[in-house]
């Protein structure tokens, strides 16, 4: 068989033949090739490496200690505002955003100076800060001057000047004041410093050009490491390649057992040289996905000539920290002392190694007496594949996202277990502010700041006292709250300019306030402003002397919440900015839900891959005369446990039984134990640690027989692999709907406002995702066979059945389709479809 899809060719030998093309250095080549430009890659000597002034100076001018003590700084948006404020005060002939470019050997350096004043012959670099410039650390100040002097050298060369006045302008956004530091420099001196920086960087640039050429050549010949393809895996790989080739987003629903990790990584690696992709970010919604990705990448890397692929795993700071009892600065932690002085040698060793999983990265860092976490942050720039949590791209301060923007990376994303992405991004852009937290932090607040803290706390209490119910949603955020919030932030910022903090409740409060303020500034119909109050158990605040004096609501704890409901507001720009994205999971249908909630492009592709086994391997039964609703549970327990017992007796083995809550789980387990004491059982409990979770899973031995009781949507409902006889069936005794609550009613009302009624986005769709994920524990390999019981009368309703996989045979509809399949389906009993979301064609079937 030979199936040609553009430059992607699948043959019986299972190799993907992709013509070679020019590789690109990370975000910085002379040009990006046209997607159809398949000319032979040039040798490294022919490269022209383009680097920004900022990157050049960060590479060559950063020296001294790592210092991560919190000193309030301006956001990127505030930086733009500050620059506008300064330039608006200059004379009418003032030139802004002066584009500059110079070439040294194979190095092209380019950037934009903030401004030039012809009247004073002065080139300016504007830095927006909070507080006095004296608080700017020396290493940052040196970096600022290096940037300005580099711009100065390029400016003098462009305009034939012999000397130039340089001004470093620090603009304090809080006080709306400027501090200007000037120096007059000879053009010869500026050029000498420019050449020295280029010489320091050009050897590294040549090395990177060589690596990129070798990497792209190796990837163009990379063979699939697990031949032959599994059923459905080839279809998935073709779709990923096509999406990357057209620079589009792909939603790929692919069942367990087909090898999704290899099936997505392999084609995207093959697309890298053809499409000029600088980096691939493999993002996980849960930590276990990182292990699977690294295993697959190790196999793929081994298949490249000379292992010419650099891979780095990004872990959380808490996991990488060697000295959690020390603060992140040179005066406290030995691994922060002289960090930037020791960085070049460690960086060289790291890129030579190429494989930077947490263990390897830690060893290199400790060999050079550096912090493993912050060394990893530096090495993101020089790696090809980045493996980490989704927050690295989608959080407002995501490191990968920030670097992709500042370094102009051509970035491609793979998002594993993407059915979790809606909830993950909701969490990233939601925040709470609690009167108890403010009260706890006030123990650390200097006396001068206490009145401001009291004012904010009293304002929050007053907002709650004005509501008739303990839980309320406000359409407008009160102006008085915004003013008090800004006042406390300004006071804390001023304090921290004098006393930088590394840890402590006051720092935590400052972060919470800043996070809340950012969300206040972008409040809209995508979010809810909630007010909740609960009665305090004890008057601890009064004992500490920090109570709300004279406030009738002082017996209540009040929480203000900004809850993100529609993540599209924040995710859409991220999807738009990257080269391509593939979101994959076993449960993504209906695709309209992902498109609407995540803000995916209208031309997003949809792929529904059939299971790797015959539908007959899973026997699905619906107990549609049993109600699992809260009022009916006591009456239906006997029927439920009787059904479970009969299934176990007819087909002995290990089963998982899923319930809506721990209370319901315990009721069912107790009833089964009383009526069927011969059936072994074990239960999930609240707050299980890792060893307890492992003990639960160890009960599922191939020779065992019993029922494990778990909560739907919990740790055992997805990401659990129990192949063969370790698990022969599952009971799902719930529809998985969220409990009735004011918060749930508010979410539904807001989604109805945004998308119209009847979509099920607030409850039914996400609940069916949980059901399908739990059911996916039963069949893990093409050889597995098993049983699935759906226990609830509502499973017989058409609106529920249509959200379940069609191959279950319950009358569920196929995922919506449009004309123009981009992946020709192979011959199989159940077709799969790749379709586009085109404007005006979306419909439910």
């Amino acid at each position: 068989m030979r199936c040609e899809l553009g430059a992607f060719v699948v043959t019986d030998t299972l190799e993907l033949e992709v013509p070679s093309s020019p590789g690109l250095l990370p975000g910085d080549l002379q040009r990006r090739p046209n997607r159809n430009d398949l000319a032979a890659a040039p040798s490294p000597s022919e490269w022209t490496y383009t680097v920004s002034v900022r990157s050049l100076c960060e590479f060559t001018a950063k020296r001294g200690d790592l210092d991560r003590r919190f000193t309030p700084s301006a956001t990127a948006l505030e930086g733009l505002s500050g620059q506008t404020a300064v330039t608006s005060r200059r004379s009418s002939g003032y030139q802004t955003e002066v584009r500059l470019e110079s070439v040294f050997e194979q190095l092209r350096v380019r950037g934009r100076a903030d401004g030039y004043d012809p009247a004073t012959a002065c080139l300016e670099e504007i830095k927006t800060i909070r507080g006095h410039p004296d608080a700017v650390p020396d290493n940052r100040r040196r970096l600022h001057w290096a940037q300005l002097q580099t711009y100065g050298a390029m400016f003098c060369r462009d305009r034939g000047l012999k000397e130039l006045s340089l001004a470093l302008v620090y603009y304090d956004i809080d006080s709306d004041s400027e501090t200007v530091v000037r120096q007059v420099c000879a053009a010869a001196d500026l050029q000498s410093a420019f050449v020295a920086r280029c010489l320091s960087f050009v050897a590294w640039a040549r090395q990177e050009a060589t690596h990129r050429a070798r990497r792209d050549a190796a990837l163009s010949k990379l063979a699939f490491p697990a031949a032959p393809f599994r059923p459905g895996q080839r279809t998935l790989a073709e779709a990923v390649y096509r999406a990357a080739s057209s620079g589009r987003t792909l939603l790929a629903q692919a069942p367990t057992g087909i090898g999704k990790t290899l099936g997505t990584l392999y084609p995207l690696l093959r697309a890298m040289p053809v499409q000029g992709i600088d980096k691939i970010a493999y993002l996980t919604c849960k930590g276990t996905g990182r292990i699977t990705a690294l295993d697959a990448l190790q196999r793929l890397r081994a298949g490249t000539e000379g292992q010419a692929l650099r891979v780095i795993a990004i872990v959380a700071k808490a996991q990488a920290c060697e000295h959690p009892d020390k603060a992140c600065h040179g005066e406290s932690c030995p691994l922060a002392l002289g960090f930037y002085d020791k960085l070049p040698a460690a960086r060289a060793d790291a890129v030579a190694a190429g494989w930077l999983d947490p263990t390897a990265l830690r060893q290199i860092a400790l060999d050079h007496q550096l912090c493993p976490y912050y060394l990893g942050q530096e090495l993101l720039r020089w790696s090809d594949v980045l493996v980490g949590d989704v927050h690295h791209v989608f959080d407002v301060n995501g490191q990968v996202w920030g670097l992709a923007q500042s370094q102009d990376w051509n970035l491609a994303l793979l998002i594993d277990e993407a059915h979790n992405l809606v909830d993950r991004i909701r969490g990233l852009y939601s925040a709470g502010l609690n009167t108890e937290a403010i009260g706890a932090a006030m123990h650390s607040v200097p006396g001068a700041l206490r009145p401001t803290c009291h004012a904010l706390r009293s304002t929050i209490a007053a907002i709650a006292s004005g509501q008739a119910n303990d839980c309320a949603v406000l359409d407008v955020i009160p102006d008085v709250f915004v003013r008090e919030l800004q006042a406390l932030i300004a006071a804390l910022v001023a304090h921290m300019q004098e006393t930088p903090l590394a840890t402590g409740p006051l720092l935590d409060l400052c972060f919470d306030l800043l996070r809340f303020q950012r969300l206040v500034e972008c409040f809209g119909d995508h979010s809810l402003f909630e007010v909740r109050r609960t009665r305090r158990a004890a008057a601890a605040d009064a004992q500490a002397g920090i109570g709300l004096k004279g406030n009738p609501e002082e017996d209540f704890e009040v929480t203000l919440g900004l809850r993100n409901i529609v993540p599209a507001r924040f995710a859409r720009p991220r999807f738009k900015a990257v080269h391509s994205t593939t979101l994959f999971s076993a449960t993504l249908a209906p695709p309209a839900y992902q498109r609407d909630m995540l803000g995916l492009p209208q031309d997003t592709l949809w792929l529904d891959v059939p299971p790797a086994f015959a539908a007959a391997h899973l026997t699905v039964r619906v107990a549609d005369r049993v109600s699992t609703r809260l009022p009916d549970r006591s009456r239906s327990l006997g029927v439920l446990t009787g059904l479970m017992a009969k299934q176990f007796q007819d087909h002995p083995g290990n089963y998982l039984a899923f319930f809506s809550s721990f209370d319901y789980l315990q009721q069912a387990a107790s009833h089964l134990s009383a009526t069927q004491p011969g059936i072994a059982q074990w239960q999930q409990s609240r707050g299980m640690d890792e060893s307890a979770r492992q003990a639960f899973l160890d009960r599922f031995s191939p020779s065992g027989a019993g029922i494990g009781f778990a909560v739907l949507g919990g740790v055992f409902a997805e990401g659990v692999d129990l192949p063969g006889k370790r698990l022969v069936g599952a009971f799902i005794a719930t529809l998985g709907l969220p409990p009735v609550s004011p918060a749930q009613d508010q979410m539904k009302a807001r989604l109805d406002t945004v998308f119209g009624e009847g979509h099920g986005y607030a409850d039914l769709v996400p609940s069916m995702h949980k059901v399908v994920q739990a059911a996916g524990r039963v069949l893990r390999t093409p050889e597995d066979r098993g049983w699935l019981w759906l226990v609830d009368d509502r499973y017989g309703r058409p609106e529920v059945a249509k959200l379940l996989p069609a191959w279950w045979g319950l009358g569920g509809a196929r995922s919506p389709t449009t004309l123009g399949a981009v992946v020709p389906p192979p011959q199989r009993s159940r077709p799969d479809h790749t379709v586009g979301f085109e404007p005006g064609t979306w419909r439910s079937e």
Side-chain angles (χ1 to χ4, degrees):
M1 183 194 74
R2 182 179 179 88
C3 175
E4 298 195 20
L5 299 170
F8 185 95
V9 182
V10 184
T11 69
D12 284 330
T13 61
L14 302 178
E15 292 186 1
L16 306 183
E17 303 168 1
V18 183
S20 61
S21 71
L24 294 178
L25 295 167
D28 289 324
L29 265 209
Q30 178 178 3
R31 66 180 181 90
R32 297 194 189 284
N34 182 281
R35 290 193 172 103
N36 297 317
D37 182 359
L38 304 179
S43 66
S45 62
E46 296 173 297
W47 293 85
T48 299
Y49 192 109
T50 301
V51 63
S52 69
V53 169
R54 176 175 176 173
S55 296
L56 175 67
C57 293
E58 285 182 341
F59 189 93
T60 60
K62 266 191 173 181
R63 295 291 183 268
D65 298 348
L66 177 72
D67 191 341
R68 302 300 296 181
R69 283 174 291 192
F70 177 71
T71 51
S73 58
T75 65
L77 185 60
E78 289 171 337
L80 293 174
S81 299
Q83 186 173 328
T84 301
V86 171
T87 57
S88 66
R89 300 168 180 171
R90 299 299 187 255
S91 61
S92 59
Y94 190 83
Q95 302 168 18
T96 61
E97 298 290 317
V98 182
R99 293 180 177 273
L100 297 167
E101 183 175 301
S102 288
V103 175
F104 176 84
E105 297 184 1
Q106 293 169 268
L107 199 62
R108 175 181 284 109
V109 183
R110 66 184 179 190
R112 289 180 293 183
D114 290 333
Y116 175 68
D117 190 349
T120 58
C122 183
L123 190 70
E124 295 187 330
E125 177 73 3
I126 302 167
K127 299 297 183 184
T128 303
I129 61 173
R130 290 186 182 275
H132 197 275
D134 289 347
V136 178
D138 287 342
N139 56 358
R140 295 296 301 171
R141 193 185 298 272
R142 286 196 296 270
L143 180 60
H144 296 161
W145 274 114
Q147 290 177 267
L148 180 54
Q149 290 165 355
T150 302
Y151 286 129
M154 299 161 69
F155 191 85
C156 287
R157 184 168 181 172
D158 274 5
R159 307 205 179 187
L161 304 178
K162 293 186 177 180
E163 68 174 21
L164 181 65
S165 176
L166 303 178
L168 190 54
V169 181
Y170 287 108
Y171 173 74
D172 178 12
I173 196 168
D174 291 326
S175 64
D176 188 28
S177 62
E178 299 177 33
T179 301
V180 182
V181 185
R182 299 180 186 274
Q183 62 177 220
V184 178
C185 299
D189 292 338
L190 293 173
Q191 182 65 17
S192 177
F194 174 77
V195 169
R197 289 190 184 96
C198 290
L199 285 172
S200 297
F201 187 77
V202 74
W204 184 267
R206 289 195 188 103
Q207 170 192 283
E208 291 304 292
T210 300
H211 163 72
R212 182 63 176 261
R214 288 174 178 169
R215 183 202 78 178
D216 286 354
L219 291 179
S220 68
K221 298 181 290 186
L222 180 63
F224 189 66
F229 282 98
R230 297 179 187 179
Q233 193 177 39
R234 183 195 298 270
T235 301
L236 175 62
E238 291 170 355
V240 173
Y241 189 90
R242 291 294 301 274
S245 297
S246 58
R248 295 170 76 178
T249 298
L250 169 68
L251 276 169
Q253 180 169 270
T256 299
I258 72 165
K260 293 190 287 291
T261 306
L262 272 177
T264 54
L265 273 168
Y266 174 63
L268 196 54
L269 287 171
R270 291 298 301 268
M272 282 187 90
V274 181
Q275 300 305 320
I277 296 171
D278 301 321
K279 314 275 184 192
I280 293 173
Y282 188 103
L283 305 175
T284 62
C285 291
K286 296 198 172 181
T288 53
R290 187 186 71 198
I291 299 171
T292 306
L294 289 173
D295 288 344
L297 284 165
Q298 200 159 35
R299 298 175 69 185
L300 289 161
R301 182 172 181 264
T304 61
E305 185 176 350
Q307 299 200 11
L309 188 69
R310 295 178 187 161
V311 177
I312 187 169
I314 320 166
V315 299
K317 184 179 178 182
Q319 294 177 267
C321 183
E322 292 289 318
H323 299 291
D325 59 323
K326 295 179 171 60
C328 294
H329 58 86
E331 297 172 13
S332 176
C333 180
L335 301 184
L337 185 64
F339 180 91
Y340 293 106
D341 300 326
K342 295 179 282 188
L343 176 61
R347 182 169 52 207
D349 285 354
V351 298
W355 181 258
L356 300 172
D357 66 2
T359 301
L361 180 60
R362 177 178 182 271
Q363 188 58 57
I364 292 171
L366 296 184
D367 286 347
H368 292 272
Q369 283 297 289
L370 293 175
C371 171
Y373 176 75
Y374 286 107
L375 176 61
Q377 300 296 294
E378 293 289 335
L379 293 173
L380 292 176
R381 305 164 189 264
W382 316 110
S383 300
D384 303 313
V385 183
L386 322 172
V387 180
D389 187 82
V390 293
H391 84 265
H392 292 295
V393 167
F394 290 98
D395 187 70
V396 65
N397 295 317
Q399 181 75 0
V400 173
W401 170 253
L403 283 171
Q405 298 306 293
S406 65
Q407 306 296 316
D408 192 29
W409 288 345
N410 197 27
L411 179 67
L413 304 180
L414 292 175
I415 303 177
D416 191 6
E417 297 297 343
H419 63 278
N420 291 303
L421 191 59
V422 169
D423 281 342
R424 285 300 312 276
I425 300 179
R426 275 176 173 161
L428 292 174
Y429 293 93
S430 297
L433 198 55
N434 183 274
T435 53
E436 296 292 283
I438 298 174
M442 285 175 67
H443 293 289
S444 306
V445 171
L449 298 186
R450 286 202 171 194
T452 313
C453 276
H454 275 296
L456 177 62
R457 204 156 174 260
S458 298
T459 298
I460 294 174
I463 292 172
S465 68
Q467 307 306 315
N469 301 314
D470 288 340
C471 180
V473 172
L474 305 187
D475 294 330
V476 178
I477 301 176
D479 289 340
V480 63
F481 165 73
V482 176
R483 288 195 301 271
E484 297 293 352
L485 176 67
Q486 292 171 341
L488 181 53
I489 290 174
L492 287 172
V493 164
H495 171 68
M496 291 182 190
Q497 292 289 355
E498 302 296 328
T499 311
L501 297 176
T503 57
L506 191 58
L507 182 63
D508 294 340
L509 175 62
C510 191
F511 282 143
D512 289 344
L513 295 174
L514 288 169
R515 176 182 174 84
F516 206 91
Q517 182 189 42
R518 278 196 293 265
L519 294 179
V520 165
E521 291 171 352
C522 56
F523 177 69
D525 62 2
H526 57 274
S527 55
L528 297 174
F529 183 69
E530 300 172 325
V531 182
R532 298 174 183 273
R533 62 186 178 196
T534 54
R535 186 172 293 276
R536 293 193 183 99
D541 283 355
Q543 295 172 11
I546 53 175
L548 302 174
K549 305 300 184 183
N551 192 316
E553 294 294 320
E554 65 180 357
D555 291 336
F556 289 90
E557 174 187 347
V558 181
T559 299
L560 300 184
L562 274 168
R563 186 155 59 105
N564 179 230
I565 301 299
V566 185
R569 162 68 172 77
F570 305 101
R572 184 180 291 110
R574 309 289 165 111
F575 290 117
K576 185 177 180 180
V578 299
H579 172 83
S580 67
T581 303
T582 294
L583 304 96
F584 58 100
S585 168
T587 48
L588 289 177
Y593 174 75
Q594 310 296 337
R595 180 201 62 186
D596 292 344
M597 297 297 287
L598 294 172
L600 302 180
Q602 284 294 321
D603 64 351
T604 292
L605 301 169
W606 166 250
L607 173 69
D608 188 10
V609 181
F613 42 78
H617 282 207
L618 183 68
T619 302
V620 182
R621 296 286 182 264
V622 177
D624 58 4
R625 296 186 179 180
V626 180
S627 170
T628 65
R629 298 171 182 84
L630 183 60
D632 303 329
R633 287 175 187 171
S634 59
R635 295 193 300 272
S636 63
L637 270 179
V639 178
L640 168 62
T641 56
L643 178 155
M644 295 169 66
K646 187 176 189 310
Q647 173 67 33
F648 182 85
Q649 291 158 3
D650 292 346
H651 304 282
N654 292 319
Y655 289 82
L656 264 170
F658 294 101
F659 298 85
S660 57
S661 67
F662 283 103
D663 288 341
Y664 191 19
L665 177 157
Q666 289 163 1
Q667 292 173 31
S670 297
H671 196 280
L672 182 67
S673 178
T675 57
Q676 300 289 336
I679 299 178
Q681 63 170 260
W682 51 100
Q683 300 176 27
Q684 178 184 355
S685 60
R686 291 180 174 90
M688 295 175 78
D689 59 21
E690 187 172 348
S691 61
R693 291 196 295 268
Q694 189 58 51
F696 181 93
L697 295 174
D698 288 343
R699 294 290 299 270
F700 294 88
S701 65
S703 59
I707 301 176
F709 287 74
V711 172
L712 187 70
V715 293
F716 302 116
E718 62 177 278
V720 170
D721 195 20
L722 300 170
K725 295 296 184 181
R726 293 190 66 189
L727 185 70
V728 301
F731 306 94
I732 302 179
T734 175
L735 207 66
L737 294 170
V740 176
S741 68
Q744 183 62 29
D745 292 342
Q746 294 154 9
M747 176 186 287
K748 184 178 185 304
R750 180 55 53 89
L751 290 174
D752 286 348
T753 299
V754 175
F755 298 113
E757 297 182 3
H759 45 65
Y761 287 1
D763 38 39
L764 191 58
V765 172
S767 71
M768 289 302 99
H769 285 172
K770 294 178 184 178
V771 169
V772 177
Q773 277 290 317
R777 302 314 97 205
V778 179
L779 300 187
R780 306 300 294 174
T781 72
E783 294 76 31
D784 289 355
R785 291 176 179 268
W787 291 264
L788 172 65
W789 276 94
L790 303 175
V791 186
D792 192 282
D793 53 4
R794 289 166 290 182
Y795 280 111
R797 295 180 178 178
E799 66 270 21
V800 174
K802 74 178 183 180
L803 294 174
L804 299 173
W807 63 273
W808 285 7
L810 302 179
R814 285 201 198 108
S815 299
T817 62
T818 61
L819 297 177
V822 299
V823 176
Q827 295 297 318
R828 49 170 61 92
S829 58
R830 170 179 163 270
D832 58 286
H833 301 273
T834 301
V835 304
F837 294 131
E838 304 297 346
T841 63
W842 185 256
R843 66 188 188 278
S844 297
E845 294 183 352

